[in-house]
Amino acid sequence: MTKGLYFDGKSARQQEVDVRLTGQFVEFTDGTGRLDESWPMTELWTPERKVAAGRPVTLACHDREDARLTIEDLTFADALLGQAPNLGRGMLAGPERGKQVAIVFALLLFCLAGGAAILHFYAAPMARVIPVAWVAPLGDQAFGLLVGKNRLCKSDDADRIIRQMAGKFAHTLGQMPPVEILIADTKTVNAFALPGGRIIFMRGIIDKMDNPNEFAAVLAHEMAHVAERHPTVAYIRVMGFRAILSIITSGTGVFENIGEVGSLLAMLSYSRKYEADADRLAFKQLAAQEIDPRGLANLFRKMQKQKKEKRKMEKRKNKQATKKENNISIDIIDYFSTHPAITERIATAEAEFARNGHTGAGLNDTDWQAIKRVCG
Amino acid sequence: MVNYAFTPPLAAAKEIHVEHTGNWRGLLPIVLVNFLFNVITIGFYRFWGKTKVRRYLWRHTVLDGTRLEYTGTGLELFFGFLVAAAIFFVVALGGEFMFGQSADPTTLMIYNLSFFAFIVLFTGFAVYRARNYRLSRSNWRGIRGGMSGSAWRHALRWLGYNVLIILSLGFALPWVRTRLQTPLAKQSQFGGTNLQFNAPVGPLYRPFLICLAATMAMFVFVGLLIVLSIYLSSEAVSAIMDEAKSAIETDFKQSISYGVGAVLGIIAVLFIGFFYVGIAAIFSCYFSFELRHFLNHTGYQEMAVKIDADAKSLIKLALGNFLLTLFTLGICYPLAQLRNFKFFINRMSFDGALNIDAILQSSQDKPQTGEGWAEMFDVGNV
């Protein structure tokens, strides 16, 4: 028997009580018969999180939410722990704690997986219903970043030839947004489609082309990206991932980069699927015009060769440990983006040729030269 | 019929004492473990970490010999956050796609203003809800607190008054913050009894204007430093250029000017950073004055709060907390909170007496989840 203070949770009045432990209950009474309570050991918890031996104890009971019993007698904690050892291990000791942790992680995974699933399944339908005018400013921004101050190459002949070819491809693709095709005067070897329907060829890629069917293959590929709204889909997914991750990690500035890395990985992994889809549709367009699909394969082979040579040169130059780290990161990015895909894509183009046997060039020599000379 | 026979007579009102018994040695292990777990869980542990810090701060606040309890849980904070994050995600993403990329400047302007208003409105909502949650999870002698007003009404007030701050170029800040604090304090309850609050605005303008003058002085000082650095750098560049005029190739000249540009950029960023840090430090002092002022005009039952703190000690507290948070990159912010708790609670006394037995339990329902919006917008100091 020891002395304690009882607060009934209805008023702040304190009542002095005699407290005793009976094995299964903590019993307390004010000695007048007005107050006589028993709290089962299994229903006890402490706002102190756990009962510590040799310290005052505050107890609460699950079915008496706000009521409190405090015992200043320092020996009481030992006696209580002898009968209810769980109180010494914290409120959620053992399986309860494990259960709560499991619930939290399950919820976290559910939120992440749910968000990712929504983005995965609904980004493409969303991209289709978003008006082109809404995403065009995005395309303008990307255009400014990628093309910058480089001159745009123009000639009436080249414009007419490209428009004609694009028109035929668009006919095969069916319903698609209006397309604008531009050639930028830069030695970068690349071509890309932007949100809003703009397709950019860099002069560098045209310089690399030896045959008009290579140009036709690249144009068909980019037209497929525009028709499928791939740039908009990618934007929705990247923005979505970034938003989910930045919301979850908000308030912890140190981790903001995780959102960036996550969205980059998401973008790269999705881009491989887009490329495969765009190739498939490109072969359909080329087949409709009886153009040789190996143009795409030839261009890839040249890029692969150039990449290998460049890599050899870099390896020779960079033998220091720090540079090695950079190479490792380049390898990782390559893995996620294009490295295995290029070999697969060359094989797919060859298989397409084996299937349809088309050998058309897509353009006569005069027209092809007009395009090759467009940047002077 | 009420049976008076079983109701003991009310004790007389009595003078009470409050103290904070926490210390940094007790809190630091919690802070470090929280940081470690936050790193491991990419910040996801913060709900539980915050709860542990609050539990420590509350537990070491002893009012009339009885410790204050914090009964909130990390799970409640987490659920609240999930709800707020889901709503915010839908609104923000939807708005961004529908209007955020518009080429029409008027649409874009209206969208940006609306989004700004949404953020400000929900920040006000968050402040109110967070206070309600914290009060409802604060328990002393079995009695908990709460808020007796409407969070939406407060959110609208918050929006309107913040527009006033912008229109007044910041000069209305003390007036607005007092006007916003008044209903917040008056609607705060402990048990079924509301706090009393009647703070005049006038006394806040003196420290505010001093802080404003200090900010202006710093602005002029930093501006002069930037101009001086640019002048000295350009002098050095022209000297280098003149000396090697004939020999240097155009490309090399250009790269030198790019280099100088980069250095100037870094200098400017450093000075601007210094300027922002300076403003934050100066106004942290103002907010300490403001807190003392607000507490000095708060009462409960027949009791009025008094804080015994002079200007020097307030500035020392504010700057100490600011530097502690800045140099530990925010990791030790809970230690700054502890300093605030100890400072104000240990200097707090009460004029008048408290009738403890007359404090009855609050009849309001407890919110089920906590502070989601406050977590989203990073409001609420504790």
Side-chain angles (χ1 to χ4, degrees):
Chain A
M1 182 88 77
T2 188
K3 290 282 178 196
L5 291 174
Y6 175 63
F7 305 99
D8 63 7
K10 292 171 189 158
S11 84
R13 180 202 316 270
Q14 69 179 31
Q15 298 175 63
E16 279 192 24
V17 289
D18 293 319
V19 185
R20 67 191 185 108
L21 298 170
T22 63
Q24 302 215 314
F25 295 93
V26 173
E27 293 182 350
F28 51 94
T29 172
D30 68 350
T32 64
R34 288 178 201 144
L35 175 68
D36 193 359
E37 289 214 23
S38 298
W39 286 0
M41 291 284 184
T42 49
E43 291 294 306
L44 292 181
W45 62 278
T46 171
E48 305 276 337
R49 219 169 71 82
K50 62 181 179 183
V51 173
R55 296 184 62 177
V57 176
T58 301
L59 289 175
C61 185
H62 281 303
D63 61 359
R64 297 291 308 276
E65 194 185 6
D66 293 312
R68 298 288 185 271
L69 177 67
T70 63
I71 301 107
E72 291 291 324
D73 179 357
L74 301 183
T75 60
F76 182 81
D78 292 318
L80 180 67
L81 287 172
Q83 296 181 17
N86 265 358
L87 288 170
R89 291 200 289 266
M91 278 198 299
L92 289 169
E96 274 300 301
R97 189 181 189 86
K99 199 169 141 191
Q100 197 184 87
V101 171
I103 289 173
V104 168
F105 274 94
L107 270 169
L108 174 65
L109 280 178
F110 177 77
C111 293
L112 281 173
I118 289 170
L119 290 171
H120 181 84
F121 292 111
Y122 293 102
M126 272 169 73
R128 287 201 174 275
V129 294
I130 292 175
V132 174
W134 288 9
V135 289
L138 274 177
D140 292 343
Q141 280 176 25
F143 180 77
L145 276 172
L146 295 165
V147 177
K149 288 177 184 170
N150 290 303
R151 182 175 71 95
L152 288 175
C153 307
K154 279 203 175 283
S155 90
D156 290 344
D157 282 346
D159 283 353
R160 176 183 49 79
I161 296 159
I162 295 171
R163 259 207 312 275
Q164 276 175 0
M165 186 179 259
K168 288 175 190 168
F169 288 158
H171 185 71
T172 310
L173 286 167
Q175 201 181 4
M176 68 178 294
V179 182
E180 185 187 12
I181 299 157
L182 301 167
I183 300 170
D185 190 6
T186 160
K187 59 184 179 185
T188 310
V189 183
N190 208 350
F192 43 82
L194 297 175
R198 204 178 267 163
I199 292 173
I200 314 294
F201 279 84
M202 303 296 208
R203 178 189 27 94
I205 198 167
I206 296 178
D207 290 346
K208 286 274 171 210
M209 293 171 178
D210 299 312
N211 195 305
N213 62 25
E214 293 172 14
F215 179 81
V218 174
L219 179 61
H221 176 88
E222 300 306 332
M223 294 275 292
H225 278 315
V226 173
E228 293 295 295
R229 272 90 164 167
H230 284 158
T232 310
V233 178
Y235 180 74
I236 293 171
R237 281 177 177 156
V238 169
M239 287 293 289
F241 272 116
R242 197 169 290 181
I244 292 171
L245 287 169
S246 64
I247 283 174
I248 284 177
T249 59
S250 68
T252 49
V254 197
F255 307 109
E256 268 168 18
N257 284 338
I258 288 174
E260 298 290 323
V261 174
S263 54
L264 176 70
L265 290 179
M267 187 176 75
L268 291 175
S269 61
Y270 276 119
S271 73
R272 296 183 60 192
K273 186 186 173 306
Y274 299 159
E275 296 309 319
D277 286 351
D279 282 353
R280 185 177 46 77
L281 283 171
F283 294 140
K284 192 176 159 191
Q285 298 165 67
L286 295 173
Q289 306 303 319
E290 298 187 345
I291 299 172
D292 189 344
R294 289 174 300 175
L296 204 61
N298 291 340
L299 202 58
F300 280 143
R301 279 197 194 96
K302 283 180 225 169
M303 287 164 76
Q304 234 177 2
K305 195 178 163 192
Q306 192 191 14
K307 208 171 186 177
K308 275 180 191 164
E309 281 166 8
K310 205 175 169 187
R311 194 164 282 235
K312 268 184 198 166
M313 277 172 65
E314 275 173 4
K315 273 185 183 168
R316 256 179 249 144
K317 279 184 198 168
N318 307 334
K319 287 188 175 171
Q320 292 167 353
T322 49
K323 297 282 181 185
K324 271 182 189 169
E325 282 170 21
N326 290 340
N327 282 342
I328 289 166
S329 62
I330 288 168
D331 287 344
I332 291 168
I333 297 290
D334 273 358
Y335 174 78
F336 274 105
S337 55
T338 54
H339 183 70
I342 279 189
T343 318
E344 282 167 29
R345 291 166 73 184
I346 290 172
T348 315
E350 293 291 357
E352 176 67 14
F353 173 71
R355 198 181 62 78
N356 68 25
H358 293 147
T359 54
L363 293 173
N364 62 37
D365 196 48
T366 318
D367 287 352
W368 174 228
Q369 290 310 318
I371 291 173
K372 286 285 275 183
R373 285 196 308 267
V374 69
C375 288
Chain B
M1 184 179 159
V2 180
N3 189 349
Y4 290 103
F6 292 108
T7 311
L10 289 178
K14 58 182 258 192
E15 285 184 9
I16 62 163
H17 174 72
V18 61
E19 64 172 332
H20 199 276
T21 59
N23 60 57
W24 67 270
R25 285 182 209 85
L27 186 58
L28 189 62
I30 297 174
V31 170
L32 294 179
V33 169
N34 283 353
F35 175 67
L36 185 73
F37 279 21
N38 271 333
V39 169
I40 294 169
T41 61
I42 53 166
F44 198 61
Y45 184 73
R46 65 186 184 278
F47 309 104
W48 287 266
K50 196 181 260 187
T51 301
K52 279 164 81 179
V53 170
R54 284 182 188 171
R55 203 178 284 137
Y56 181 88
L57 294 174
W58 265 238
R59 192 172 64 229
H60 287 86
T61 305
V62 185
L63 187 64
D64 197 43
T66 307
R67 289 169 186 274
L68 203 64
E69 284 171 18
Y70 180 73
T71 59
T73 66
L75 202 61
E76 287 170 348
L77 291 183
F78 172 61
F79 277 131
F81 170 73
L82 279 187
V83 173
I87 296 170
F88 183 77
F89 183 75
V90 170
V91 172
L93 215 63
E96 181 64 21
F97 274 113
M98 278 193 278
F99 310 109
Q101 304 300 328
S102 172
D104 176 24
T106 316
T107 312
L108 205 59
M109 193 182 75
I110 292 170
Y111 165 70
N112 285 334
L113 280 174
S114 311
F115 194 69
F116 174 73
F118 168 80
I119 298 280
V120 176
L121 186 78
F122 272 80
T123 304
F125 184 76
V127 166
Y128 197 94
R129 290 284 293 253
R131 196 178 173 105
N132 188 28
Y133 174 77
R134 286 194 290 259
L135 283 169
S136 72
R137 265 53 175 182
S138 300
N139 194 308
W140 181 74
R141 287 180 165 230
I143 302 297
R144 61 176 188 273
M147 296 291 288
S148 59
S150 152
W152 283 116
R153 196 168 294 170
H154 183 74
L156 287 170
R157 248 193 317 260
W158 183 276
L159 177 63
Y161 279 130
N162 273 287
V163 171
L164 255 178
I165 291 181
I166 296 168
L167 292 178
S168 69
L169 303 174
F171 279 92
L173 186 91
W175 183 80
V176 164
R177 284 180 61 89
T178 309
R179 296 284 295 179
L180 284 170
Q181 182 64 24
T182 303
L184 264 185
K186 282 184 168 178
Q187 289 166 13
S188 298
Q189 289 187 321
F190 180 66
T193 312
N194 287 55
L195 298 188
Q196 295 141 18
F197 185 80
N198 191 17
V201 184
L204 281 177
Y205 265 94
R206 190 164 172 263
F208 176 73
L209 290 174
I210 291 172
C211 288
L212 211 59
T215 309
M216 292 300 167
M218 193 183 64
F219 184 74
V220 171
F221 176 69
V222 171
L224 282 176
L225 279 180
I226 292 176
V227 171
L228 194 68
S229 328
I230 292 171
Y231 174 74
L232 289 177
S233 313
S234 61
E235 285 288 294
V237 173
S238 4
I240 294 168
M241 293 294 212
D242 289 346
E243 209 167 289
K245 209 167 196 171
S246 53
I248 292 174
E249 288 175 21
T250 318
D251 279 358
F252 186 54
K253 272 188 196 170
Q254 207 171 15
S255 55
I256 285 182
S257 55
Y258 283 155
V260 170
V263 170
L264 284 179
I266 291 166
I267 291 172
V269 167
L270 283 177
F271 280 139
I272 290 165
F274 174 72
F275 182 63
Y276 276 114
V277 168
I279 290 181
I282 289 170
F283 274 86
S284 70
C285 296
Y286 169 74
F287 292 127
S288 279
F289 278 87
E290 187 194 72
L291 182 56
R292 180 186 64 171
H293 180 70
F294 287 166
L295 285 172
N296 272 332
H297 292 86
T298 303
Y300 184 75
Q301 285 188 357
E302 301 303 314
M303 210 171 62
V305 176
K306 286 282 164 257
I307 303 289
D308 178 24
D310 58 11
K312 196 176 153 191
S313 64
L314 283 169
I315 291 170
K316 205 172 135 193
L317 169 79
L319 291 181
N321 282 348
F322 182 77
L323 294 174
L324 179 64
T325 310
L326 186 72
F327 286 113
T328 59
L329 302 174
I331 295 164
C332 287
Y333 177 62
L335 294 179
Q337 292 177 328
L338 172 67
R339 290 184 80 230
N340 261 340
F341 264 71
K342 284 187 79 75
F343 182 91
F344 283 103
I345 290 174
N346 290 339
R347 287 162 188 261
M348 189 180 283
S349 59
F350 303 102
D351 274 355
L354 180 70
N355 191 335
I356 293 175
D357 291 1
I359 302 172
L360 300 177
Q361 185 61 281
S362 167
S363 56
Q364 294 195 48
D365 291 335
K366 287 205 291 191
Q368 294 303 305
T369 58
E371 304 186 21
W373 290 102
E375 188 66 42
M376 282 296 306
F377 299 130
D378 201 19
V379 296
N381 289 326
V382 182

